[in-house]
Amino acid sequence: MMKQIRRTLALLLSLSVMTAFMPAAEVSAADAMTATITLNETSAEATGENVTIDGSKITITASGSYAFSGKLNDGQIIVNVADEVADPGTVKIFFNGVDIKGVTAPPVYVINAENTSINLADGTENILSDGGAYAADTNAVIYAKDDITIKGGEAGDGRLTVNAVYQHALHCNNDVKIAGGDITIKTNDGDGKTTGAGDAIRGKTSVEIKGGKLDINSGGDGVKSTKGNVLISGGDTEIRASNDAVQGETAVEISGGTLKANGDRGLTNASAAAGNAVTISGGTVFATSTDAQMIVADNTQPVLLASLAEEQVKDQRVELFAEGAEEAVFSRNPNKKFDYILISDPALTIGSTYSLKIDGFVPTGSQITLAESVTVAEGISMAARALDINEDNEIDVGDAVLLARFIAEDREAVLSAVGLSRADTNGDGKKDTADITRILRFIAHLAI
């Protein structure tokens, strides 16, 4: 019995010695803050190191971890590391429920640092907004002269809303990375009307989206690199833009994630004239535009480019059905009007034939076979939809009969014919037997 006790004691002693020389377990960010800053509407208080406060202006002077909470009515967080060579660490800003409005200067201004990250604490709501136009050299709600990254917490549900009425939302002179978080960006007045028509995200050297959820409503461009690449490898990104939804100066490369990019121009490469084009090798991509069709290079994932003969209104569901299938292999709603469609998805296969539907209607020229990595389908027309008098997304004898009853002044038909406002199928200003003839010719597969 005594021998067993001695063995047990010896084992415990050995374990305690081993533990003493093992590295300490990593502590959470909340337990390792360099400083904690509380915002009090017109002022701020800090506990910790490397922070100076001047009224509502907070300056971080060294790398480390800095937690922020509270509200500033007109304030600013400045990152200004004196020597980034001597101090090459990352300045980690943790937003733990902040609401900062910058009336005359950016709420977040990175003057100098090797790297800066904005980390969104799980379960928090964080808001950055402008209140007027800034100087031209700092014209963004988040303005960074060095690399900047936005990250989420462990659960990834920390939220950030950036409201930029007067200028860009996020501008960086180097690299921008979106690695996580739930981010909403608006560069308009909330009603789709723009004041400064700023871009949502613009990085000079590059913009990379690796994760998180990103919802953009921009009066200018959505995601833009002014001198380099836009790289999308993950995350769930949805863009509505008045100009380019996604624009890269040298390249746009999509390899993963989910991207919905609806703009006057969808996916553009500014150097396309030099032979460069958008490349898609993975992920689910749905892009629409009104100005011009997108230029896409040969890809390792099939891409469909569809051009419509008539401009379509927003919020009409666009679907692709494999031949003989009842369920769509692809389905999305564009949030802007469109003439051109780009669809790419891992479910699509070269050599297969698909049927395109728009708002439940099968347009003329909708049967498309993906013959190569980039398949262009032109001349798709929704004009025949005017023949769908009863709006059941089918053109059949029932439409001809309903229109005939209307012409014959059958009151019951007038009351039930929901599509009679477009029953002038030939556009001559009258609803008569010529319109019925067009319906019957369409059903018989004759030219109309």
Side-chain angles (χ1 to χ4, degrees), residues 331-376:
S331 179
R332 290 290 188 280
N333 274 45
N335 50 28
K336 279 183 69 71
K337 60 185 180 180
F338 61 98
D339 296 270
Y340 305 98
I341 300 170
L342 180 153
I343 296 173
S344 184
D345 189 89
L348 304 183
T349 57
I350 295 175
S352 296
T353 299
Y354 298 90
S355 176
L356 177 69
K357 280 188 178 182
I358 298 176
D359 198 28
F361 183 77
V362 180
T364 304
S366 64
Q367 294 296 111
I368 304 164
T369 299
L370 301 185
E372 48 194 346
S373 62
V374 179
T375 300
V376 179

mmCIF file of all heavy atoms in Angstrom, residues 331-376:
data_model
loop_
_atom_site.group_PDB
_atom_site.id
_atom_site.type_symbol
_atom_site.label_atom_id
_atom_site.label_comp_id
_atom_site.label_asym_id
_atom_site.label_seq_id
_atom_site.Cartn_x
_atom_site.Cartn_y
_atom_site.Cartn_z
ATOM 1 N N SER A 331 -30.117 29.576 -58.337
ATOM 2 C CA SER A 331 -31.258 30.473 -58.153
ATOM 3 C C SER A 331 -30.821 31.687 -57.341
ATOM 4 O O SER A 331 -30.330 31.546 -56.222
ATOM 5 C CB SER A 331 -32.389 29.735 -57.429
ATOM 6 O OG SER A 331 -33.498 30.582 -57.229
ATOM 7 N N ARG A 332 -30.983 32.883 -57.913
ATOM 8 C CA ARG A 332 -30.628 34.128 -57.229
ATOM 9 C C ARG A 332 -31.554 35.261 -57.698
ATOM 10 O O ARG A 332 -32.078 35.231 -58.804
ATOM 11 C CB ARG A 332 -29.188 34.534 -57.523
ATOM 12 C CG ARG A 332 -28.118 33.652 -56.906
ATOM 13 C CD ARG A 332 -28.043 33.802 -55.396
ATOM 14 N NE ARG A 332 -26.904 33.105 -54.851
ATOM 15 C CZ ARG A 332 -26.844 31.796 -54.613
ATOM 16 N NH1 ARG A 332 -27.888 31.039 -54.917
ATOM 17 N NH2 ARG A 332 -25.764 31.256 -54.093
ATOM 18 N N ASN A 333 -31.702 36.278 -56.862
ATOM 19 C CA ASN A 333 -32.459 37.482 -57.215
ATOM 20 C C ASN A 333 -31.503 38.659 -57.364
ATOM 21 O O ASN A 333 -30.839 39.023 -56.400
ATOM 22 C CB ASN A 333 -33.484 37.816 -56.126
ATOM 23 C CG ASN A 333 -34.784 37.089 -56.304
ATOM 24 O OD1 ASN A 333 -34.781 35.905 -56.577
ATOM 25 N ND2 ASN A 333 -35.895 37.787 -56.134
ATOM 26 N N PRO A 334 -31.424 39.282 -58.528
ATOM 27 C CA PRO A 334 -30.608 40.488 -58.659
ATOM 28 C C PRO A 334 -31.276 41.663 -57.948
ATOM 29 O O PRO A 334 -32.500 41.789 -57.975
ATOM 30 C CB PRO A 334 -30.544 40.721 -60.167
ATOM 31 C CG PRO A 334 -31.784 40.086 -60.689
ATOM 32 C CD PRO A 334 -32.081 38.918 -59.800
ATOM 33 N N ASN A 335 -30.478 42.517 -57.305
ATOM 34 C CA ASN A 335 -31.060 43.659 -56.602
ATOM 35 C C ASN A 335 -30.891 44.969 -57.365
ATOM 36 O O ASN A 335 -31.049 46.037 -56.796
ATOM 37 C CB ASN A 335 -30.497 43.790 -55.182
ATOM 38 C CG ASN A 335 -28.987 43.736 -55.146
ATOM 39 O OD1 ASN A 335 -28.324 44.112 -56.110
ATOM 40 N ND2 ASN A 335 -28.434 43.254 -54.042
ATOM 41 N N LYS A 336 -30.578 44.875 -58.667
ATOM 42 C CA LYS A 336 -30.594 46.025 -59.563
ATOM 43 C C LYS A 336 -31.141 45.580 -60.916
ATOM 44 O O LYS A 336 -31.132 44.390 -61.236
ATOM 45 C CB LYS A 336 -29.171 46.589 -59.746
ATOM 46 C CG LYS A 336 -28.693 47.497 -58.625
ATOM 47 C CD LYS A 336 -27.321 48.056 -58.927
ATOM 48 C CE LYS A 336 -27.328 49.051 -60.070
ATOM 49 N NZ LYS A 336 -27.956 50.341 -59.740
ATOM 50 N N LYS A 337 -31.612 46.544 -61.712
ATOM 51 C CA LYS A 337 -32.051 46.200 -63.065
ATOM 52 C C LYS A 337 -30.858 45.647 -63.849
ATOM 53 O O LYS A 337 -29.699 45.915 -63.520
ATOM 54 C CB LYS A 337 -32.646 47.415 -63.758
ATOM 55 C CG LYS A 337 -31.702 48.589 -63.904
ATOM 56 C CD LYS A 337 -32.411 49.800 -64.501
ATOM 57 C CE LYS A 337 -31.453 50.976 -64.645
ATOM 58 N NZ LYS A 337 -32.131 52.154 -65.226
ATOM 59 N N PHE A 338 -31.134 44.885 -64.924
ATOM 60 C CA PHE A 338 -30.046 44.194 -65.604
ATOM 61 C C PHE A 338 -30.377 43.876 -67.053
ATOM 62 O O PHE A 338 -31.538 43.711 -67.420
ATOM 63 C CB PHE A 338 -29.684 42.905 -64.869
ATOM 64 C CG PHE A 338 -30.802 41.899 -64.775
ATOM 65 C CD1 PHE A 338 -30.887 40.834 -65.662
ATOM 66 C CD2 PHE A 338 -31.789 42.021 -63.803
ATOM 67 C CE1 PHE A 338 -31.915 39.909 -65.580
ATOM 68 C CE2 PHE A 338 -32.833 41.097 -63.710
ATOM 69 C CZ PHE A 338 -32.895 40.036 -64.612
ATOM 70 N N ASP A 339 -29.324 43.811 -67.860
ATOM 71 C CA ASP A 339 -29.386 43.310 -69.235
ATOM 72 C C ASP A 339 -28.504 42.080 -69.408
ATOM 73 O O ASP A 339 -28.731 41.265 -70.308
ATOM 74 C CB ASP A 339 -28.883 44.365 -70.237
ATOM 75 C CG ASP A 339 -29.739 45.610 -70.272
ATOM 76 O OD1 ASP A 339 -30.688 45.649 -71.065
ATOM 77 O OD2 ASP A 339 -29.451 46.545 -69.508
ATOM 78 N N TYR A 340 -27.464 42.007 -68.585
ATOM 79 C CA TYR A 340 -26.443 40.967 -68.736
ATOM 80 C C TYR A 340 -26.320 40.169 -67.446
ATOM 81 O O TYR A 340 -26.430 40.710 -66.344
ATOM 82 C CB TYR A 340 -25.095 41.599 -69.090
ATOM 83 C CG TYR A 340 -25.137 42.482 -70.307
ATOM 84 C CD1 TYR A 340 -25.251 43.863 -70.178
ATOM 85 C CD2 TYR A 340 -25.068 41.939 -71.580
ATOM 86 C CE1 TYR A 340 -25.303 44.685 -71.291
ATOM 87 C CE2 TYR A 340 -25.118 42.754 -72.707
ATOM 88 C CZ TYR A 340 -25.240 44.124 -72.555
ATOM 89 O OH TYR A 340 -25.286 44.933 -73.661
ATOM 90 N N ILE A 341 -26.079 38.873 -67.614
ATOM 91 C CA ILE A 341 -26.014 37.957 -66.475
ATOM 92 C C ILE A 341 -24.735 37.127 -66.571
ATOM 93 O O ILE A 341 -24.382 36.648 -67.653
ATOM 94 C CB ILE A 341 -27.230 37.007 -66.445
ATOM 95 C CG1 ILE A 341 -28.539 37.800 -66.343
ATOM 96 C CG2 ILE A 341 -27.122 36.008 -65.303
ATOM 97 C CD1 ILE A 341 -29.776 36.930 -66.547
ATOM 98 N N LEU A 342 -24.064 36.954 -65.443
ATOM 99 C CA LEU A 342 -22.961 35.991 -65.327
ATOM 100 C C LEU A 342 -23.304 35.006 -64.226
ATOM 101 O O LEU A 342 -23.660 35.410 -63.113
ATOM 102 C CB LEU A 342 -21.648 36.710 -65.001
ATOM 103 C CG LEU A 342 -20.386 35.839 -64.852
ATOM 104 C CD1 LEU A 342 -19.128 36.647 -65.194
ATOM 105 C CD2 LEU A 342 -20.218 35.259 -63.443
ATOM 106 N N ILE A 343 -23.204 33.719 -64.527
ATOM 107 C CA ILE A 343 -23.457 32.666 -63.545
ATOM 108 C C ILE A 343 -22.298 31.679 -63.589
ATOM 109 O O ILE A 343 -21.909 31.207 -64.657
ATOM 110 C CB ILE A 343 -24.778 31.917 -63.833
ATOM 111 C CG1 ILE A 343 -25.969 32.867 -63.705
ATOM 112 C CG2 ILE A 343 -24.942 30.730 -62.888
ATOM 113 C CD1 ILE A 343 -27.288 32.239 -64.140
ATOM 114 N N SER A 344 -21.750 31.369 -62.417
ATOM 115 C CA SER A 344 -20.734 30.329 -62.303
ATOM 116 C C SER A 344 -20.946 29.612 -60.980
ATOM 117 O O SER A 344 -21.135 30.250 -59.941
ATOM 118 C CB SER A 344 -19.327 30.915 -62.378
ATOM 119 O OG SER A 344 -18.349 29.893 -62.359
ATOM 120 N N ASP A 345 -20.919 28.283 -61.031
ATOM 121 C CA ASP A 345 -21.208 27.498 -59.833
ATOM 122 C C ASP A 345 -20.595 26.107 -59.999
ATOM 123 O O ASP A 345 -20.572 25.572 -61.117
ATOM 124 C CB ASP A 345 -22.723 27.384 -59.636
ATOM 125 C CG ASP A 345 -23.087 26.779 -58.298
ATOM 126 O OD1 ASP A 345 -23.236 27.534 -57.322
ATOM 127 O OD2 ASP A 345 -23.206 25.543 -58.219
ATOM 128 N N PRO A 346 -20.108 25.494 -58.921
ATOM 129 C CA PRO A 346 -19.543 24.148 -59.021
ATOM 130 C C PRO A 346 -20.532 23.104 -59.542
ATOM 131 O O PRO A 346 -20.117 22.053 -60.051
ATOM 132 C CB PRO A 346 -19.130 23.826 -57.579
ATOM 133 C CG PRO A 346 -18.932 25.161 -56.931
ATOM 134 C CD PRO A 346 -19.944 26.056 -57.567
ATOM 135 N N ALA A 347 -21.839 23.398 -59.433
ATOM 136 C CA ALA A 347 -22.849 22.434 -59.884
ATOM 137 C C ALA A 347 -22.967 22.375 -61.397
ATOM 138 O O ALA A 347 -23.527 21.419 -61.951
ATOM 139 C CB ALA A 347 -24.205 22.768 -59.269
ATOM 140 N N LEU A 348 -22.471 23.381 -62.101
ATOM 141 C CA LEU A 348 -22.578 23.415 -63.561
ATOM 142 C C LEU A 348 -21.495 22.538 -64.184
ATOM 143 O O LEU A 348 -20.369 22.480 -63.698
ATOM 144 C CB LEU A 348 -22.438 24.846 -64.077
ATOM 145 C CG LEU A 348 -23.402 25.888 -63.502
ATOM 146 C CD1 LEU A 348 -23.182 27.227 -64.159
ATOM 147 C CD2 LEU A 348 -24.846 25.431 -63.654
ATOM 148 N N THR A 349 -21.848 21.880 -65.290
ATOM 149 C CA THR A 349 -20.883 21.006 -65.972
ATOM 150 C C THR A 349 -20.861 21.302 -67.468
ATOM 151 O O THR A 349 -21.906 21.548 -68.082
ATOM 152 C CB THR A 349 -21.228 19.516 -65.761
ATOM 153 O OG1 THR A 349 -22.557 19.269 -66.227
ATOM 154 C CG2 THR A 349 -21.138 19.138 -64.290
ATOM 155 N N ILE A 350 -19.674 21.288 -68.034
ATOM 156 C CA ILE A 350 -19.517 21.499 -69.469
ATOM 157 C C ILE A 350 -20.126 20.321 -70.221
ATOM 158 O O ILE A 350 -19.945 19.165 -69.838
ATOM 159 C CB ILE A 350 -18.022 21.663 -69.822
ATOM 160 C CG1 ILE A 350 -17.477 22.934 -69.171
ATOM 161 C CG2 ILE A 350 -17.824 21.730 -71.337
ATOM 162 C CD1 ILE A 350 -16.002 23.131 -69.363
ATOM 163 N N GLY A 351 -20.864 20.604 -71.276
ATOM 164 C CA GLY A 351 -21.532 19.578 -72.056
ATOM 165 C C GLY A 351 -22.990 19.396 -71.688
ATOM 166 O O GLY A 351 -23.748 18.767 -72.433
ATOM 167 N N SER A 352 -23.410 19.958 -70.557
ATOM 168 C CA SER A 352 -24.804 19.838 -70.123
ATOM 169 C C SER A 352 -25.634 20.998 -70.666
ATOM 170 O O SER A 352 -25.120 22.080 -70.929
ATOM 171 C CB SER A 352 -24.895 19.824 -68.596
ATOM 172 O OG SER A 352 -24.239 18.688 -68.066
ATOM 173 N N THR A 353 -26.943 20.734 -70.824
ATOM 174 C CA THR A 353 -27.870 21.753 -71.307
ATOM 175 C C THR A 353 -28.746 22.233 -70.164
ATOM 176 O O THR A 353 -29.249 21.436 -69.363
ATOM 177 C CB THR A 353 -28.750 21.195 -72.436
ATOM 178 O OG1 THR A 353 -27.910 20.806 -73.525
ATOM 179 C CG2 THR A 353 -29.746 22.238 -72.920
ATOM 180 N N TYR A 354 -28.930 23.538 -70.103
ATOM 181 C CA TYR A 354 -29.697 24.151 -69.027
ATOM 182 C C TYR A 354 -30.777 25.048 -69.609
ATOM 183 O O TYR A 354 -30.640 25.600 -70.696
ATOM 184 C CB TYR A 354 -28.784 24.969 -68.106
ATOM 185 C CG TYR A 354 -27.726 24.137 -67.424
ATOM 186 C CD1 TYR A 354 -26.480 23.944 -68.028
ATOM 187 C CD2 TYR A 354 -27.974 23.524 -66.208
ATOM 188 C CE1 TYR A 354 -25.510 23.172 -67.418
ATOM 189 C CE2 TYR A 354 -27.006 22.746 -65.590
ATOM 190 C CZ TYR A 354 -25.778 22.573 -66.201
ATOM 191 O OH TYR A 354 -24.824 21.799 -65.611
ATOM 192 N N SER A 355 -31.841 25.210 -68.813
ATOM 193 C CA SER A 355 -32.932 26.103 -69.186
ATOM 194 C C SER A 355 -32.915 27.289 -68.232
ATOM 195 O O SER A 355 -32.888 27.120 -67.008
ATOM 196 C CB SER A 355 -34.271 25.373 -69.103
ATOM 197 O OG SER A 355 -35.341 26.255 -69.367
ATOM 198 N N LEU A 356 -32.932 28.492 -68.804
ATOM 199 C CA LEU A 356 -32.922 29.719 -68.019
ATOM 200 C C LEU A 356 -34.354 30.191 -67.794
ATOM 201 O O LEU A 356 -35.153 30.234 -68.718
ATOM 202 C CB LEU A 356 -32.124 30.795 -68.753
ATOM 203 C CG LEU A 356 -32.053 32.179 -68.112
ATOM 204 C CD1 LEU A 356 -31.225 32.141 -66.835
ATOM 205 C CD2 LEU A 356 -31.478 33.196 -69.090
ATOM 206 N N LYS A 357 -34.658 30.545 -66.545
ATOM 207 C CA LYS A 357 -35.944 31.148 -66.219
ATOM 208 C C LYS A 357 -35.699 32.486 -65.526
ATOM 209 O O LYS A 357 -34.774 32.604 -64.721
ATOM 210 C CB LYS A 357 -36.761 30.252 -65.282
ATOM 211 C CG LYS A 357 -37.484 29.111 -65.954
ATOM 212 C CD LYS A 357 -38.416 28.406 -64.971
ATOM 213 C CE LYS A 357 -39.180 27.282 -65.642
ATOM 214 N NZ LYS A 357 -40.128 26.610 -64.700
ATOM 215 N N ILE A 358 -36.548 33.447 -65.855
ATOM 216 C CA ILE A 358 -36.487 34.754 -65.203
ATOM 217 C C ILE A 358 -37.871 35.068 -64.665
ATOM 218 O O ILE A 358 -38.833 35.158 -65.432
ATOM 219 C CB ILE A 358 -36.011 35.845 -66.176
ATOM 220 C CG1 ILE A 358 -34.595 35.534 -66.673
ATOM 221 C CG2 ILE A 358 -36.054 37.216 -65.504
ATOM 222 C CD1 ILE A 358 -34.070 36.510 -67.705
ATOM 223 N N ASP A 359 -37.959 35.188 -63.345
ATOM 224 C CA ASP A 359 -39.242 35.440 -62.680
ATOM 225 C C ASP A 359 -40.273 34.383 -63.049
ATOM 226 O O ASP A 359 -41.458 34.678 -63.243
ATOM 227 C CB ASP A 359 -39.748 36.840 -63.021
ATOM 228 C CG ASP A 359 -40.820 37.329 -62.054
ATOM 229 O OD1 ASP A 359 -40.809 36.883 -60.892
ATOM 230 O OD2 ASP A 359 -41.661 38.150 -62.460
ATOM 231 N N GLY A 360 -39.811 33.138 -63.174
ATOM 232 C CA GLY A 360 -40.702 32.022 -63.479
ATOM 233 C C GLY A 360 -41.024 31.854 -64.946
ATOM 234 O O GLY A 360 -41.665 30.871 -65.335
ATOM 235 N N PHE A 361 -40.577 32.791 -65.794
ATOM 236 C CA PHE A 361 -40.893 32.745 -67.216
ATOM 237 C C PHE A 361 -39.692 32.210 -67.996
ATOM 238 O O PHE A 361 -38.544 32.542 -67.701
ATOM 239 C CB PHE A 361 -41.259 34.139 -67.724
ATOM 240 C CG PHE A 361 -41.679 34.176 -69.161
ATOM 241 C CD1 PHE A 361 -42.943 33.753 -69.534
ATOM 242 C CD2 PHE A 361 -40.809 34.613 -70.144
ATOM 243 C CE1 PHE A 361 -43.350 33.788 -70.856
ATOM 244 C CE2 PHE A 361 -41.194 34.658 -71.471
ATOM 245 C CZ PHE A 361 -42.469 34.239 -71.833
ATOM 246 N N VAL A 362 -39.964 31.372 -68.993
ATOM 247 C CA VAL A 362 -38.914 30.822 -69.845
ATOM 248 C C VAL A 362 -38.780 31.707 -71.083
ATOM 249 O O VAL A 362 -39.653 31.700 -71.953
ATOM 250 C CB VAL A 362 -39.232 29.375 -70.260
ATOM 251 C CG1 VAL A 362 -38.134 28.830 -71.148
ATOM 252 C CG2 VAL A 362 -39.395 28.491 -69.023
ATOM 253 N N PRO A 363 -37.736 32.506 -71.175
ATOM 254 C CA PRO A 363 -37.611 33.422 -72.319
ATOM 255 C C PRO A 363 -37.224 32.702 -73.600
ATOM 256 O O PRO A 363 -36.777 31.549 -73.582
ATOM 257 C CB PRO A 363 -36.498 34.378 -71.882
ATOM 258 C CG PRO A 363 -35.688 33.593 -70.912
ATOM 259 C CD PRO A 363 -36.625 32.656 -70.221
ATOM 260 N N THR A 364 -37.409 33.384 -74.715
ATOM 261 C CA THR A 364 -36.968 32.851 -76.002
ATOM 262 C C THR A 364 -35.446 32.717 -75.992
ATOM 263 O O THR A 364 -34.735 33.606 -75.552
ATOM 264 C CB THR A 364 -37.389 33.801 -77.138
ATOM 265 O OG1 THR A 364 -38.807 33.997 -77.076
ATOM 266 C CG2 THR A 364 -37.012 33.226 -78.491
ATOM 267 N N GLY A 365 -34.956 31.568 -76.484
ATOM 268 C CA GLY A 365 -33.514 31.321 -76.505
ATOM 269 C C GLY A 365 -32.961 30.880 -75.176
ATOM 270 O O GLY A 365 -31.751 31.022 -74.915
ATOM 271 N N SER A 366 -33.815 30.331 -74.326
ATOM 272 C CA SER A 366 -33.396 30.000 -72.959
ATOM 273 C C SER A 366 -32.685 28.660 -72.838
ATOM 274 O O SER A 366 -32.100 28.367 -71.802
ATOM 275 C CB SER A 366 -34.615 29.999 -72.035
ATOM 276 O OG SER A 366 -35.523 28.973 -72.430
ATOM 277 N N GLN A 367 -32.747 27.802 -73.869
ATOM 278 C CA GLN A 367 -32.056 26.512 -73.813
ATOM 279 C C GLN A 367 -30.580 26.729 -74.168
ATOM 280 O O GLN A 367 -30.245 27.118 -75.281
ATOM 281 C CB GLN A 367 -32.691 25.524 -74.790
ATOM 282 C CG GLN A 367 -34.127 25.135 -74.441
ATOM 283 C CD GLN A 367 -34.220 24.397 -73.128
ATOM 284 O OE1 GLN A 367 -34.754 24.915 -72.154
ATOM 285 N NE2 GLN A 367 -33.682 23.188 -73.089
ATOM 286 N N ILE A 368 -29.709 26.473 -73.202
ATOM 287 C CA ILE A 368 -28.290 26.803 -73.360
ATOM 288 C C ILE A 368 -27.444 25.584 -73.032
ATOM 289 O O ILE A 368 -27.576 24.994 -71.949
ATOM 290 C CB ILE A 368 -27.893 27.967 -72.435
ATOM 291 C CG1 ILE A 368 -28.789 29.189 -72.699
ATOM 292 C CG2 ILE A 368 -26.425 28.325 -72.609
ATOM 293 C CD1 ILE A 368 -28.746 30.224 -71.604
ATOM 294 N N THR A 369 -26.575 25.213 -73.939
ATOM 295 C CA THR A 369 -25.618 24.128 -73.682
ATOM 296 C C THR A 369 -24.260 24.736 -73.371
ATOM 297 O O THR A 369 -23.756 25.575 -74.126
ATOM 298 C CB THR A 369 -25.494 23.203 -74.901
ATOM 299 O OG1 THR A 369 -26.777 22.622 -75.174
ATOM 300 C CG2 THR A 369 -24.486 22.089 -74.639
ATOM 301 N N LEU A 370 -23.700 24.332 -72.245
ATOM 302 C CA LEU A 370 -22.375 24.829 -71.868
ATOM 303 C C LEU A 370 -21.330 24.062 -72.672
ATOM 304 O O LEU A 370 -20.948 22.951 -72.320
ATOM 305 C CB LEU A 370 -22.145 24.662 -70.367
ATOM 306 C CG LEU A 370 -23.152 25.381 -69.446
ATOM 307 C CD1 LEU A 370 -22.726 25.226 -67.997
ATOM 308 C CD2 LEU A 370 -23.278 26.852 -69.810
ATOM 309 N N ALA A 371 -20.887 24.653 -73.767
ATOM 310 C CA ALA A 371 -19.996 23.958 -74.696
ATOM 311 C C ALA A 371 -18.532 24.094 -74.314
ATOM 312 O O ALA A 371 -17.701 23.301 -74.740
ATOM 313 C CB ALA A 371 -20.206 24.495 -76.112
ATOM 314 N N GLU A 372 -18.194 25.111 -73.517
ATOM 315 C CA GLU A 372 -16.804 25.344 -73.140
ATOM 316 C C GLU A 372 -16.760 26.029 -71.788
ATOM 317 O O GLU A 372 -17.799 26.256 -71.162
ATOM 318 C CB GLU A 372 -16.111 26.186 -74.204
ATOM 319 C CG GLU A 372 -16.896 27.408 -74.630
ATOM 320 C CD GLU A 372 -16.352 28.018 -75.906
ATOM 321 O OE1 GLU A 372 -15.231 27.666 -76.300
ATOM 322 O OE2 GLU A 372 -17.047 28.851 -76.504
ATOM 323 N N SER A 373 -15.552 26.366 -71.328
ATOM 324 C CA SER A 373 -15.424 26.924 -69.979
ATOM 325 C C SER A 373 -16.167 28.247 -69.841
ATOM 326 O O SER A 373 -16.679 28.575 -68.771
ATOM 327 C CB SER A 373 -13.947 27.104 -69.622
ATOM 328 O OG SER A 373 -13.330 28.013 -70.513
ATOM 329 N N VAL A 374 -16.220 29.045 -70.913
ATOM 330 C CA VAL A 374 -17.014 30.272 -70.914
ATOM 331 C C VAL A 374 -17.987 30.187 -72.082
ATOM 332 O O VAL A 374 -17.581 30.188 -73.241
ATOM 333 C CB VAL A 374 -16.134 31.526 -71.049
ATOM 334 C CG1 VAL A 374 -17.010 32.775 -71.057
ATOM 335 C CG2 VAL A 374 -15.119 31.606 -69.917
ATOM 336 N N THR A 375 -19.280 30.099 -71.774
ATOM 337 C CA THR A 375 -20.315 29.982 -72.796
ATOM 338 C C THR A 375 -21.108 31.281 -72.858
ATOM 339 O O THR A 375 -21.620 31.751 -71.837
ATOM 340 C CB THR A 375 -21.264 28.815 -72.484
ATOM 341 O OG1 THR A 375 -20.515 27.595 -72.445
ATOM 342 C CG2 THR A 375 -22.349 28.706 -73.538
ATOM 343 N N VAL A 376 -21.200 31.853 -74.060
ATOM 344 C CA VAL A 376 -21.929 33.101 -74.258
ATOM 345 C C VAL A 376 -23.260 32.799 -74.939
ATOM 346 O O VAL A 376 -23.300 32.168 -75.998
ATOM 347 C CB VAL A 376 -21.109 34.090 -75.110
ATOM 348 C CG1 VAL A 376 -21.899 35.379 -75.331
ATOM 349 C CG2 VAL A 376 -19.767 34.394 -74.435
#
